[in-house]
Amino acid sequence: MKKALLISGLLLIFSCKKENELKTVENSNSSDSLNLKSNVDSLNLKNDLSSVDGIKKEYNLINSKLLAKKLDSVGFKYECEERSGNVVYYSENGILKVIKQFTADSHFSSTENYFVNDNQPFFVFKDETVWSFDGGTPEKPETKDDVTQQRMYFSDNKIIQCLEKKFTIKSSAATKPNPENIPNTESKNCSAKEVQETFALLLKNKDKKGSIKCL
């Protein structure tokens, strides 16, 4: 009799233990499912690219990954008559996010950054510099850089805002202007057609590697 009671007690304890273990596993699976759903939902979230504020948020998100070197990159160099340059394509999980082009000749240089969604630019930053001699002596010439920056916000392939700032950097000046302290102004000098034509050309050449001639 005692032996039967002992066996029954052991079976009850074992049964309760298994039930608790099962509940723990179920709770763990439920928690993992919630976390997975949360991650999927966060991946599906997109900023509103029809507004300047939404574009800025998406730009900040992609640019932070770019600066942290979390994007894959591939590119090529080119030489075209008197101008040379390079193009780099940045992607995430095989999806194109940014195209950067640098080009220069003897007195001009330009950096263009195209931030991309669905193979269309939603934000474009252009930084152009034209330099020239500005006095001094043949032994120690002085120069000046005339810099123009443009920030273009695109929605449905149209520019919804264009900002521009201009400043000059002189080699003879004791202090140089800080671009961050120079305000942007609204501009009508931005050309959506020009940007889209250049972007289409860069997109067409995205599989090029090494060194090529003209785009």
Side-chain angles (χ1 to χ4, degrees):
M1 183 68 177
K2 289 181 178 179
K3 193 176 288 187
L5 289 172
L6 179 61
I7 293 171
S8 298
L10 290 173
L11 288 173
L12 180 62
I13 292 170
F14 181 75
S15 176
C16 290
K17 184 177 179 182
K18 293 298 290 181
E19 185 178 351
N20 288 336
E21 288 178 353
L22 182 60
K23 287 182 178 178
T24 300
V25 171
E26 287 174 348
N27 289 338
S28 176
N29 288 339
S30 177
S31 177
D32 290 343
S33 297
L34 288 173
N35 289 336
L36 180 61
K37 185 177 186 301
S38 176
N39 290 338
V40 171
D41 288 345
S42 66
L43 288 173
N44 289 333
L45 288 176
K46 286 187 177 182
N47 291 305
D48 178 17
L49 298 183
S50 65
S51 68
V52 172
D53 287 342
I55 291 172
K56 287 181 178 179
K57 290 177 182 177
E58 188 70 13
Y59 159 79
N60 287 331
L61 176 64
I62 297 175
N63 196 49
S64 64
K65 294 179 181 180
L66 187 63
L67 294 175
K69 298 181 179 180
K70 292 183 177 180
L71 301 179
D72 299 321
S73 63
V74 64
F76 61 87
K77 297 179 181 179
Y78 63 86
E79 296 281 345
C80 187
E81 298 176 351
E82 296 182 357
R83 182 167 293 191
S84 61
N86 62 74
V87 184
V88 183
Y89 302 83
Y90 297 89
S91 60
E92 183 179 40
N93 298 324
I95 300 174
L96 183 64
K97 294 294 183 180
V98 184
I99 301 177
K100 282 191 172 187
Q101 176 181 218
F102 172 79
T103 183
D105 58 24
S106 59
H107 282 264
F108 170 84
S109 67
S110 172
T111 300
E112 300 172 356
N113 301 275
Y114 300 83
F115 288 79
V116 183
N117 180 65
D118 291 336
N119 284 334
Q120 292 295 331
F122 66 86
F123 176 72
V124 178
F125 173 70
K126 296 177 68 174
D127 189 333
E128 297 181 344
T129 299
V130 177
W131 76 271
S132 59
F133 291 108
D134 189 45
T137 64
E139 294 77 18
K140 192 176 180 180
E142 296 175 352
T143 63
K144 68 172 182 175
D145 294 346
D146 293 316
V147 182
T148 301
Q149 294 182 350
Q150 289 183 330
R151 291 165 171 82
M152 288 167 275
Y153 301 82
F154 280 81
S155 179
D156 293 329
N157 297 319
K158 297 178 181 178
I159 296 177
I160 57 175
Q161 186 175 54
C162 173
L163 300 177
E164 187 175 82
K165 67 171 66 176
K166 294 186 177 184
F167 53 94
T168 299
I169 302 174
K170 292 189 176 185
S171 62
S172 59
T175 58
K176 313 298 181 187
N178 184 351
E180 298 297 325
N181 296 332
I182 299 172
N184 286 297
T185 58
E186 293 280 352
S187 174
K188 295 183 179 179
N189 294 327
C190 298
S191 170
K193 182 180 179 182
E194 180 182 336
V195 168
Q196 288 163 347
E197 286 177 351
T198 302
F199 179 80
L201 186 61
L202 296 175
L203 202 61
K204 179 182 177 181
N205 287 275
K206 67 182 180 66
D207 294 324
K208 298 288 178 65
K209 294 179 181 179
S211 298
I212 66 171
K213 292 185 177 180
C214 298
L215 292 175

